Amino acid sequence: KLTNFMQSNMSLSRNENKCTVTVVGGGNSAHVLIPFLSASGHNVNLMTRKPQQWSKVITCELQRPSKKKEMTTYGNVKHPSADVIQTVKGSCEKISSDPAEVIPDADVIVLCMPVHQYRDALNRLAPYIDRTKKEVFVGTVYGQA
């Protein structure tokens, strides 16, 4: 049922106007958001402190706990096994640590970082927002470790 829900929502968003979304931040929420935006047909740019650690293609797996009692190790941490119920792939047009390279194109800017970093990020981005555009939306995805 979850897979059908996700597919119907993604197909609905394909009919809407496409835009350029710049995701600011390189944490878990960015990893999840980028594939869904890209798969919905939007152009996605990424601004992150570590652009060299990113690939242009980003994959997100939606998982549910496995009925098996096995454990899986990621790094040095053991986790219960999970079954992949859907895989979503997306891509970034541009990946940079320089706001001048990714902010001017943005129709939507999404901050994916801890709340205490918003003010500094907005001060850094503001000079690069294209003021000739009628609208540029700025929003947040709460992500906290």
Side-chain angles (χ1 to χ4, degrees):
K1 290 183 182 180
L2 179 62
T3 302
N4 293 339
F5 171 78
M6 296 300 296
Q7 288 172 344
S8 66
N9 281 337
M10 286 174 62
S11 64
L12 286 174
S13 65
R14 285 189 183 106
N15 297 326
E16 297 174 5
N17 293 331
K18 304 302 175 233
C19 61
T20 298
V21 180
T22 298
V23 175
V24 181
N28 291 336
S29 54
H31 277 91
V32 173
L33 183 60
I34 291 168
F36 284 98
L37 289 169
S38 178
S40 296
H42 299 291
N43 296 321
V44 182
N45 295 329
L46 173 65
M47 187 176 125
T48 177
R49 289 180 289 153
K50 300 175 182 177
Q52 69 282 359
Q53 292 183 354
W54 281 78
S55 167
K56 288 248 184 205
V57 176
I58 295 105
T59 302
C60 176
E61 291 182 344
L62 299 175
Q63 301 178 347
R64 68 171 162 237
S66 176
K67 293 179 181 174
K68 302 172 189 170
K69 300 293 182 189
E70 300 170 359
M71 297 295 282
T72 303
T73 302
Y74 296 104
N76 294 329
V77 181
K78 288 191 175 198
H79 300 275
S81 292
D83 295 325
V84 176
I85 55 175
Q86 184 177 1
T87 300
V88 180
K89 287 189 178 190
S91 62
C92 287
E93 301 290 321
K94 300 176 190 173
I95 302 171
S96 179
S97 60
D98 183 355
E101 293 180 12
V102 293
I103 297 300
D105 296 337
D107 300 306
V108 177
I109 300 167
V110 181
L111 305 180
C112 293
M113 61 187 63
V115 173
H116 74 274
Q117 295 177 354
Y118 290 173
R119 183 182 306 237
D120 290 339
L122 290 170
N123 284 329
R124 186 168 178 224
L125 305 177
Y128 302 98
I129 295 174
D130 184 350
R131 285 164 175 69
T132 65
K133 291 185 177 187
K134 183 178 176 184
E135 297 175 321
V136 176
F137 297 95
V138 179
T140 65
V141 172
Y142 182 75
Q144 188 69 42

